[in-house]
Each structure stands twice: as structure tokens, then as C-alpha cells.
Amino acid sequence: MNARADTRTGRSTDDARPSSDYAALRRDPEYAELNSALLDLVPAGSAPAVLDLGCGDGAVSERLLSRDAAMSLVGVDPDPALLEAARARLGGRARFAEGDASSVSRLFPPDVFDVVVLANCIHLVPDLAEALGAIGQVLTAGGRLVFNSAFYSGAESPADLPLYAELVGAARSTARGRGLPLTRSGAGRPSGLRRTAGDYRAALAEAGFTDVVTTEREFTFGPRFLTALCSTPMFATAALPGVGRHTAAELLTETMQELHERAPFTITRRCVYFSATQA
């Protein structure tokens, strides 16, 4: 059941929407640029078998197929609604299965994929070691794992931290004024947001991956990206703990737009990219 929340009265109905809450972020053209450099890491030719892990609505899968129509592509995501959208987008050009990163070794036989791609979603993986172990099992010897993240410890520019603090502080003040229940900590905040680039390198080494290549790039985003970011559960839950995540997202978006109208701004984020080989 889809539900709406009234941020002015604090009344909310059912808050259990699927992870399509990330749809606005995936549609943002500035955000899409984060994945362009990732796709360059995917080897083309020889009709590779590719697993798009955390495929969502199939947007990255579609871009992968446009670069190499001969590839055999499978998408995996835990959200049935998003998989339905992916199937509608790509039809018979790809296959899809419901699951998460840690389940791929149960979904597929060993040594079946030449490439595994996680496009800006690895920070949502709760048990990184378990997931890398499962991915390693389905990769062929010499197969490639590529992933990126713009949500890790060190992604934010220090110069932008006061802006984030002002956004969250103003939203919390408004929430209190409207009688919304704030708590001290946000349950459900992805633990992956606290990982560093070094944590990912160490985890890859521990899982037996070799030839690890890491790069970081900076991107500048405008208010459209921030609006989309505010709509995600991972940001809304952390910023306004205790408030229903959709109510929180609407309140953060409202606050961000007010701040931008008062003084236009952009933000800078770093995105880290990894390419590693299965031994």
C-alpha cells in the first residue's frame, strides 16, 4: 500500500514503501554521471556473462547492454517491484532474479559470471565479507568485480559539512515545532556509510581478490541531486531519527528548497571506484 504523510501535522499512514524510494536519485542526470566511469571498467567483447547486482529498475543494465549488445546479462535485486520495472524496461534482453549480494552463491552455480557490477549500492550491503565471498563463488577464475560508491566515509567535502549540518538542524527544528517524535539515533542507517575506501580495499584482499585498482573522482551537484538524496531512506532516517522515513524525506526536501531559495549553492562529493580480479 502506498501511503502519504502530512509533514505539517505529523500524521502519517503506512510507511512501508519498497526501495523505489531511491528512484528519484537514480533518475537524476548528475547522479547518473557517477556510474559512467564505472561502466568504463567493465570489459567488453567475447560475449561476457555479466551480473548487475542491485540492478534496481534496470537503468544500469540498459546502459551495459547498449555498450555491448552481445553480453549475457542477469540482474539481481531484493525488490520485486523494481525487478518488474527492469523486466518492462528490457524485455527479453536480460534475465532477472530476486535476491541480494549475499545470496548470489545460492541463486547461481559457481564460476558462471565473467563480470559482477554493483553500481553505487555496495554501501547498502550490511555484511561486506559475506557478500564478497558469495560474489567470488559465482565469478569465473580471472573474472572481474567492479563497484563504486559516493556514500562512504570521506565522500563529503569538508567545506560542505556546515551546509549538511544547517540542512539537518533546520529540518529537526521544524520537526520539533510540528510535534514530530525525534529520537537520539536512527535505526536502519546503513552501516556501509561508515566504511572508508581503505575498508573496501582490506575486505577485497581478505576475500582473495587480486589486482585491486582504486580511483576517486570529485563531482559537483546542484539542488536537484540534493532533493533526490533527501528522498532516500538512508539519508532521511539518519537525519530525522524517529520520524517516519517518508515524512522525514518530505520535510528535508522542503527545508533544502527553502535554504537554496535563500542562498543558492552546490555541493561536492567524491566517488570511489574499485576493480578487482577473482584469483
Side-chain angles (χ1 to χ4, degrees), residues 9-277:
T9 65
R11 292 191 301 270
S12 63
T13 56
D14 180 13
D15 228 12
R17 294 178 190 167
S19 60
S20 51
D21 295 293
Y22 291 92
L25 195 62
R26 285 191 298 268
R27 287 194 302 265
D28 180 68
E30 294 178 320
Y31 177 80
E33 285 300 308
L34 297 174
N35 290 330
S36 293
L38 177 71
L39 300 185
D40 291 337
L41 300 177
V42 178
S46 303
V50 177
L51 173 61
D52 182 5
L53 188 46
C55 66
D57 61 5
V60 170
S61 298
E62 185 174 43
R63 294 181 66 181
L64 285 165
L65 288 166
S66 71
R67 295 163 68 97
D68 185 356
M71 73 169 50
S72 172
L73 190 141
V74 178
V76 168
D77 198 273
D79 188 332
L82 291 179
L83 290 174
E84 183 178 347
R87 292 185 182 100
R89 178 193 291 266
L90 294 173
R93 298 166 60 197
R95 295 182 295 116
F96 296 95
E98 184 177 340
D100 58 23
S102 296
S103 70
V104 292
S105 58
R106 299 188 296 274
L107 292 173
F108 307 105
D111 309 320
V112 70
F113 293 109
D114 302 303
V115 184
V116 174
V117 179
L118 290 96
N120 215 1
C121 62
I122 198 163
H123 47 272
L124 299 176
V125 172
D127 190 328
L128 185 60
E130 182 182 20
L132 292 177
I135 290 167
Q137 291 182 52
V138 300
L139 272 171
T140 59
R144 189 85 61 86
L145 166 63
V146 299
F147 63 87
N148 64 338
S149 179
F151 303 100
Y152 62 101
S153 180
E156 299 91 351
S157 166
D160 291 333
L161 293 179
L163 177 60
Y164 285 107
E166 183 180 12
L167 168 63
V168 173
R172 288 180 177 178
S173 178
T174 301
R176 292 188 185 97
R178 296 177 185 176
L180 296 174
L182 286 169
T183 59
R184 289 183 177 272
S185 62
R189 182 175 186 266
S191 59
L193 300 180
R194 296 190 292 272
R195 296 184 194 127
T196 66
D199 292 333
Y200 284 114
R201 283 191 292 270
L204 286 166
E206 181 67 24
F209 286 89
T210 62
D211 302 324
V212 177
V213 178
T214 309
T215 57
E216 288 186 88
R217 293 180 55 184
E218 281 192 354
F219 295 85
T220 300
F221 299 107
R224 180 171 174 171
F225 168 83
L226 264 181
T227 298
L229 179 62
C230 287
S231 73
T232 64
M234 68 176 179
F235 189 85
T237 300
L240 297 175
V243 177
R245 61 179 182 168
H246 302 296
T247 303
E250 292 168 3
L251 183 54
L252 285 163
T253 298
E254 174 189 319
T255 305
M256 189 282 299
Q257 291 170 344
E258 291 173 354
L259 293 176
H260 191 265
E261 288 174 2
R262 194 160 66 233
F265 56 83
T266 60
I267 64 164
T268 299
R269 289 190 76 89
R270 297 176 69 82
C271 186
V272 63
Y273 298 84
F274 284 90
S275 174
T277 301

